[in-house]
């Protein structure tokens, strides 16, 4: 019975936190939502509800980013906007967005890596990514597909040699 009460209490806190984040909340409301998710997280962890704990952590990560990036809306984003933010920000923000919005897959990372590493020549982004996950053959294939798509749709002749060279290097790893 205690387990059920803790879990239900945690679910209510999580639901209340979500309701506070609806629309365009002010900083005080965001702070209150953060407190609700922290309480829910502690109850879920106490009861070993790890899946629900992860959902709380995802929301807390987004709240933290929102508080840090006051001028940019981080909450309630569409997939295309999340990818755009991943392509324009540093790796810690990109990984937080990817995990929080369930976009942590090789297809998305191929697009982001292509933009960050090939187009913008951001070597630090690739280095940080490699600490997070290895460069797989599937990721390279997705990057090649992204390269083909971009060369058909855009004029990126300036970057033609860079993808060829680096994708060949990835294949060797």
């Amino acid at each position: 019975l205690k387990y059920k009460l803790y879990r239900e209490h945690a679910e209510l806190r999580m639901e209340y936190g979500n309701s506070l984040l609806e629309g365009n909340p002010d900083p005080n409301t965001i702070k209150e939502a953060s407190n609700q998710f922290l309480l829910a997280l502690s109850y879920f962890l106490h009861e070993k509800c790890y899946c629900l704990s992860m959902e709380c952590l995802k929301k807390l990560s987004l709240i933290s980013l929102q508080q840090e990036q006051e001028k940019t809306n981080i909450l309630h984003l569409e997939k295309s906007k999340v990818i755009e933010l991943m392509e324009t920000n540093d790796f810690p923000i990109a990984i937080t967005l990817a995990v929080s919005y369930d976009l942590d897959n090789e297809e998305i990372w191929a697009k982001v890596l292509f933009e960050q590493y090939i187009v913008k020549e951001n070597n630090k982004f690739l280095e940080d990514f490699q600490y997070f996950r290895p460069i797989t053959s599937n990721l390279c294939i997705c990057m090649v597909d992204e390269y083909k798509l971009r060369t058909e749709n855009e004029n990126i002749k300036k970057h033609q040699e860079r993808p060829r060279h680096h994708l060949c290097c990835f294949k060797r790893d």
Side-chain angles (χ1 to χ4, degrees):
L1 184 60
K2 266 187 175 179
Y3 165 77
K4 194 169 185 161
L5 289 175
Y6 279 122
R7 183 180 169 135
E8 285 183 10
H9 187 71
E11 288 173 352
L12 288 172
R13 294 284 184 169
M14 194 168 137
E15 188 177 315
Y16 181 55
N18 278 322
S19 70
L20 289 172
L21 293 177
E22 289 176 0
N24 193 11
D26 61 65
N28 289 332
T29 306
I30 291 174
K31 187 176 179 182
E32 178 59 27
S34 176
N35 289 336
Q36 296 302 316
F37 281 107
L38 280 170
L39 284 169
L41 174 64
S42 63
Y43 286 126
F44 285 136
L45 287 173
H46 180 266
E47 295 305 320
K48 298 175 180 60
C49 300
Y50 298 120
C51 185
L52 292 169
S53 297
M54 187 63 184
E55 292 304 312
C56 287
L57 285 172
K58 288 177 183 179
K59 285 291 187 179
L60 285 166
S61 296
L62 289 176
I63 288 170
S64 176
L65 270 181
Q66 183 63 62
Q67 290 172 330
E68 185 180 306
Q69 309 271 327
E70 292 177 1
K71 295 178 182 173
T72 306
N73 181 24
I74 301 294
L75 305 169
H76 318 297
L77 297 177
E78 298 290 323
K79 179 181 175 180
S80 60
K81 183 64 176 168
V82 174
I83 294 170
E84 180 185 317
L85 286 173
M86 289 171 67
E87 291 175 343
T88 57
N89 285 288
D90 292 333
F91 185 76
I93 293 173
I95 186 63
T96 302
L97 290 169
V99 171
S100 296
Y101 280 103
D102 295 322
L103 297 176
D104 183 18
N105 60 59
E106 289 185 330
E107 181 183 313
I108 302 296
W109 281 116
K111 290 178 183 184
V112 173
L113 281 172
F114 187 87
E115 182 66 29
Q116 288 275 6
Y117 180 66
I118 304 298
V119 177
K120 294 182 179 175
E121 300 182 10
N122 185 350
N123 294 336
K124 178 85 170 101
F125 194 92
L126 177 66
E127 183 183 313
D128 290 344
F129 178 83
Q130 287 178 310
Y131 286 117
F132 168 65
R133 125 175 336 156
I135 303 294
T136 63
S137 60
N138 190 38
L139 181 65
C140 289
I141 290 168
C142 290
M143 285 184 74
V144 168
D145 292 343
E146 185 67 21
Y147 173 75
K148 289 177 183 176
L149 179 69
R150 297 262 185 121
T151 54
E152 290 171 6
N153 296 338
E154 300 173 12
N155 185 10
I156 61 167
K157 302 234 185 272
K158 171 186 166 192
H159 304 288
Q160 279 185 342
E161 209 45 48
R162 187 169 168 86
R164 286 185 189 141
H165 170 73
H166 292 287
L167 289 175
C168 290
C169 290
F170 290 153
K171 285 260 187 198
R172 281 189 246 136
D173 291 346

